[in-house]
Coordinates of all heavy atoms in Angstrom, one line a residue:
F855 N -5.0 -26.6 -14.3 CA -4.7 -27.5 -13.2 C -3.2 -27.4 -13.0 O -2.5 -26.7 -13.7 CB -5.1 -29.0 -13.5 CG -4.6 -29.5 -14.9 CD1 -3.4 -30.1 -15.0 CD2 -5.4 -29.3 -16.0 CE1 -2.9 -30.6 -16.2 CE2 -4.9 -29.7 -17.2 CZ -3.7 -30.4 -17.3
A856 N -2.7 -28.1 -12.0 CA -1.3 -28.1 -11.7 C -0.7 -29.5 -11.7 O -1.5 -30.4 -11.4 CB -1.0 -27.4 -10.3
V857 N 0.5 -29.6 -12.0 CA 1.2 -30.9 -12.1 C 2.5 -30.9 -11.5 O 3.1 -29.8 -11.2 CB 1.3 -31.4 -13.6 CG1 0.0 -31.5 -14.3 CG2 2.3 -30.4 -14.4
T858 N 3.0 -32.1 -11.1 CA 4.4 -32.2 -10.8 C 5.0 -33.1 -11.9 O 4.3 -33.8 -12.6 CB 4.7 -32.9 -9.4 OG1 4.0 -34.1 -9.4 CG2 4.2 -31.9 -8.3
H859 N 6.4 -33.1 -12.0 CA 7.1 -33.8 -13.1 C 8.5 -34.1 -12.6 O 9.0 -33.5 -11.7 CB 7.0 -33.1 -14.4 CG 7.2 -31.6 -14.3 ND1 8.4 -31.0 -14.1 CD2 6.3 -30.6 -14.2 CE1 8.3 -29.7 -14.1 NE2 7.0 -29.4 -14.1
D860 N 9.1 -35.1 -13.3 CA 10.5 -35.5 -12.9 C 11.5 -34.5 -13.3 O 12.4 -34.2 -12.5 CB 10.8 -36.9 -13.6 CG 9.9 -38.0 -13.0 OD1 9.4 -37.8 -11.9 OD2 9.7 -39.0 -13.8
R861 N 11.4 -33.9 -14.5 CA 12.5 -33.1 -15.0 C 12.2 -31.6 -14.5 O 11.1 -31.1 -14.6 CB 12.5 -33.1 -16.5 CG 12.9 -34.5 -17.1 CD 12.7 -34.5 -18.6 NE 12.7 -35.9 -19.1 CZ 12.3 -36.3 -20.2 NH1 11.8 -35.4 -21.1 NH2 12.3 -37.6 -20.6
P862 N 13.2 -30.9 -14.1 CA 13.0 -29.5 -13.6 C 12.6 -28.6 -14.8 O 13.1 -28.8 -15.9 CB 14.4 -29.2 -13.0 CG 15.4 -30.1 -13.6 CD 14.6 -31.4 -13.9
H863 N 11.8 -27.6 -14.5 CA 11.4 -26.7 -15.6 C 12.4 -25.7 -15.8 O 12.4 -25.0 -16.9 CB 10.0 -26.1 -15.2 CG 9.9 -25.5 -13.9 ND1 10.7 -24.5 -13.4 CD2 9.1 -25.7 -12.9 CE1 10.4 -24.1 -12.2 NE2 9.4 -24.9 -11.8
E864 N 13.3 -25.5 -14.9 CA 14.4 -24.5 -15.1 C 13.9 -23.1 -15.5 O 14.5 -22.4 -16.2 CB 15.4 -25.0 -16.1 CG 16.1 -26.3 -15.6 CD 17.1 -26.8 -16.7 OE1 16.9 -26.6 -17.9 OE2 18.0 -27.5 -16.2
N865 N 12.8 -22.7 -14.9 CA 12.1 -21.4 -15.1 C 11.8 -21.2 -16.6 O 11.9 -20.0 -17.1 CB 13.0 -20.3 -14.5 CG 13.1 -20.4 -13.0 OD1 12.1 -20.7 -12.4 ND2 14.3 -20.1 -12.5
V866 N 11.5 -22.3 -17.3 CA 11.1 -22.2 -18.7 C 9.5 -22.3 -18.8 O 9.0 -23.3 -18.3 CB 11.7 -23.3 -19.5 CG1 11.2 -23.2 -21.0 CG2 13.2 -23.1 -19.5
S867 N 8.9 -21.3 -19.4 CA 7.5 -21.5 -19.7 C 7.3 -22.0 -21.1 O 8.0 -21.5 -22.1 CB 6.8 -20.1 -19.6 OG 5.4 -20.2 -20.0
T868 N 6.6 -23.1 -21.3 CA 6.6 -23.9 -22.5 C 5.2 -23.9 -23.1 O 4.2 -24.3 -22.4 CB 7.1 -25.3 -22.3 OG1 8.4 -25.3 -21.7 CG2 7.1 -26.1 -23.6
E869 N 5.0 -23.5 -24.4 CA 3.8 -23.7 -25.1 C 4.0 -24.8 -26.2 O 4.9 -24.6 -27.0 CB 3.4 -22.4 -25.8 CG 2.7 -21.3 -24.9 CD 2.2 -20.2 -25.7 OE1 2.1 -20.2 -26.9 OE2 1.7 -19.2 -25.1
V870 N 3.2 -25.8 -26.1 CA 3.3 -26.9 -27.1 C 2.1 -26.8 -28.0 O 1.0 -26.9 -27.6 CB 3.3 -28.3 -26.3 CG1 3.5 -29.4 -27.4 CG2 4.4 -28.3 -25.3
H871 N 2.4 -26.6 -29.3 CA 1.4 -26.5 -30.3 C 1.2 -27.7 -31.2 O 2.2 -28.3 -31.7 CB 1.7 -25.3 -31.2 CG 1.7 -24.0 -30.5 ND1 0.6 -23.1 -30.5 CD2 2.6 -23.3 -29.7 CE1 0.8 -22.1 -29.7 NE2 2.0 -22.2 -29.2
R872 N 0.0 -28.2 -31.3 CA -0.3 -29.3 -32.2 C -1.6 -28.9 -32.9 O -1.6 -28.4 -34.0 CB -0.4 -30.6 -31.4 CG -0.7 -31.8 -32.4 CD -0.4 -33.1 -31.7 NE -0.8 -34.2 -32.5 CZ -0.1 -34.7 -33.5 NH1 1.1 -34.2 -33.9 NH2 -0.5 -35.7 -34.2
S873 N -2.7 -29.1 -32.3 CA -4.0 -28.6 -32.8 C -5.0 -28.4 -31.6 O -4.7 -28.8 -30.5 CB -4.6 -29.7 -33.8 OG -4.9 -30.9 -33.1
G874 N -6.1 -27.7 -31.9 CA -7.0 -27.4 -30.8 C -6.7 -26.3 -30.0 O -7.6 -25.7 -29.4
G875 N -5.5 -25.9 -29.9 CA -5.0 -24.8 -29.0 C -3.7 -25.2 -28.3 O -3.4 -26.4 -28.3
P876 N -3.0 -24.3 -27.7 CA -1.8 -24.6 -27.1 C -1.9 -25.4 -25.8 O -3.0 -25.2 -25.1 CB -1.1 -23.2 -26.8 CG -2.3 -22.3 -26.7 CD -3.3 -22.8 -27.7
F877 N -0.9 -26.2 -25.4 CA -0.8 -26.8 -24.1 C 0.3 -26.1 -23.5 O 1.5 -26.2 -23.9 CB -0.5 -28.3 -24.4 CG -0.4 -29.1 -23.1 CD1 -1.5 -29.9 -22.7 CD2 0.8 -29.1 -22.3 CE1 -1.4 -30.7 -21.5 CE2 0.9 -29.9 -21.2 CZ -0.2 -30.6 -20.7
T878 N 0.1 -25.3 -22.4 CA 1.1 -24.4 -21.8 C 1.4 -24.9 -20.4 O 0.5 -25.1 -19.6 CB 0.5 -23.0 -21.8 OG1 0.1 -22.6 -23.1 CG2 1.6 -22.0 -21.3
L879 N 2.7 -25.0 -20.2 CA 3.2 -25.3 -18.8 C 4.0 -24.1 -18.3 O 4.9 -23.6 -19.0 CB 4.1 -26.5 -18.8 CG 3.5 -27.9 -19.3 CD1 4.0 -28.2 -20.7 CD2 3.9 -29.0 -18.4
V880 N 3.6 -23.6 -17.2 CA 4.2 -22.4 -16.6 C 4.8 -22.7 -15.3 O 4.1 -23.4 -14.4 CB 3.2 -21.2 -16.5 CG1 3.9 -19.9 -16.1 CG2 2.4 -21.0 -17.8
P881 N 6.0 -22.4 -15.0 CA 6.7 -22.7 -13.8 C 6.0 -22.3 -12.5 O 5.5 -21.2 -12.4 CB 8.1 -22.1 -13.9 CG 8.3 -21.9 -15.4 CD 6.9 -21.6 -15.9
L882 N 6.0 -23.2 -11.6 CA 5.6 -22.9 -10.2 C 6.7 -23.3 -9.3 O 7.6 -24.1 -9.6 CB 4.3 -23.7 -9.8 CG 3.0 -23.3 -10.5 CD1 1.9 -24.3 -10.1 CD2 2.6 -21.9 -10.1
P883 N 6.7 -22.8 -8.0 CA 7.7 -23.3 -7.1 C 7.5 -24.8 -6.8 O 6.4 -25.3 -7.0 CB 7.4 -22.5 -5.8 CG 6.7 -21.2 -6.3 CD 5.9 -21.7 -7.5
D884 N 8.6 -25.5 -6.4 CA 8.5 -26.9 -6.2 C 7.4 -27.2 -5.2 O 7.0 -26.5 -4.3 CB 9.8 -27.4 -5.6 CG 10.9 -27.5 -6.6 OD1 10.7 -27.1 -7.8 OD2 12.1 -27.8 -6.3
R885 N 6.8 -28.4 -5.4 CA 5.7 -28.9 -4.6 C 6.1 -30.2 -4.0 O 6.3 -31.2 -4.8 CB 4.4 -29.0 -5.4 CG 3.2 -29.4 -4.7 CD 2.0 -29.4 -5.6 NE 0.7 -29.7 -4.9 CZ -0.3 -28.9 -4.9 NH1 -0.3 -27.8 -5.6 NH2 -1.4 -29.3 -4.3
D886 N 6.1 -30.3 -2.7 CA 6.5 -31.6 -2.0 C 7.8 -32.1 -2.6 O 8.0 -33.3 -2.7 CB 5.4 -32.6 -2.2 CG 4.1 -32.2 -1.6 OD1 4.1 -31.5 -0.6 OD2 3.0 -32.6 -2.2
G887 N 8.8 -31.2 -2.8 CA 10.1 -31.6 -3.2 C 10.2 -31.9 -4.7 O 11.3 -32.4 -5.1
R888 N 9.2 -31.7 -5.5 CA 9.2 -32.1 -6.9 C 9.0 -30.8 -7.8 O 8.2 -29.9 -7.4 CB 8.2 -33.1 -7.2 CG 8.3 -34.5 -6.5 CD 7.4 -35.5 -7.1 NE 7.9 -35.9 -8.4 CZ 7.1 -36.3 -9.4 NH1 5.8 -36.3 -9.3 NH2 7.6 -36.7 -10.6
P889 N 9.6 -30.8 -8.9 CA 9.3 -29.7 -9.9 C 7.8 -29.6 -10.2 O 7.1 -30.7 -10.3 CB 10.1 -30.0 -11.1 CG 11.2 -30.9 -10.6 CD 10.6 -31.7 -9.5
S890 N 7.2 -28.4 -10.2 CA 5.8 -28.2 -10.5 C 5.5 -27.2 -11.5 O 6.3 -26.2 -11.6 CB 5.1 -27.9 -9.1 OG 3.7 -27.7 -9.3
S891 N 4.5 -27.4 -12.3 CA 4.1 -26.4 -13.3 C 2.5 -26.2 -13.3 O 1.8 -27.2 -12.9 CB 4.5 -26.8 -14.7 OG 5.9 -26.9 -14.8
A892 N 2.1 -25.0 -13.6 CA 0.7 -24.8 -13.9 C 0.4 -25.1 -15.3 O 1.3 -24.8 -16.2 CB 0.3 -23.4 -13.6
V893 N -0.7 -25.7 -15.6 CA -1.0 -26.1 -17.0 C -2.3 -25.4 -17.4 O -3.3 -25.4 -16.7 CB -1.1 -27.6 -17.2 CG1 -1.6 -28.0 -18.6 CG2 0.2 -28.3 -16.8
V894 N -2.3 -24.9 -18.6 CA -3.6 -24.5 -19.3 C -3.6 -25.2 -20.6 O -2.7 -25.1 -21.5 CB -3.6 -23.0 -19.6 CG1 -4.9 -22.6 -20.3 CG2 -3.6 -22.2 -18.2
W895 N -4.6 -26.1 -20.8 CA -4.8 -27.0 -21.9 C -6.0 -26.5 -22.7 O -7.1 -26.7 -22.2 CB -4.9 -28.4 -21.5 CG -4.9 -29.5 -22.5 CD1 -4.9 -29.3 -23.9 CD2 -4.8 -30.9 -22.3 NE1 -4.9 -30.5 -24.5 CE2 -4.9 -31.5 -23.6 CE3 -4.8 -31.7 -21.2 CZ2 -4.9 -32.9 -23.7 CZ3 -4.8 -33.0 -21.3 CH2 -4.8 -33.6 -22.6

Side-chain angles (χ1 to χ4, degrees):
F855 50 92
V857 299
T858 56
H859 37 81
D860 295 336
R861 298 173 193 161
H863 50 60
E864 297 179 331
N865 294 321
V866 176
S867 178
T868 304
E869 282 189 7
V870 184
H871 293 263
R872 184 164 172 80
S873 62
F877 182 100
T878 305
L879 300 106
V880 188
L882 289 174
D884 287 359
R885 186 179 182 122
D886 299 326
R888 300 191 69 210
S890 181
S891 295
V893 176
V894 176
W895 185 355

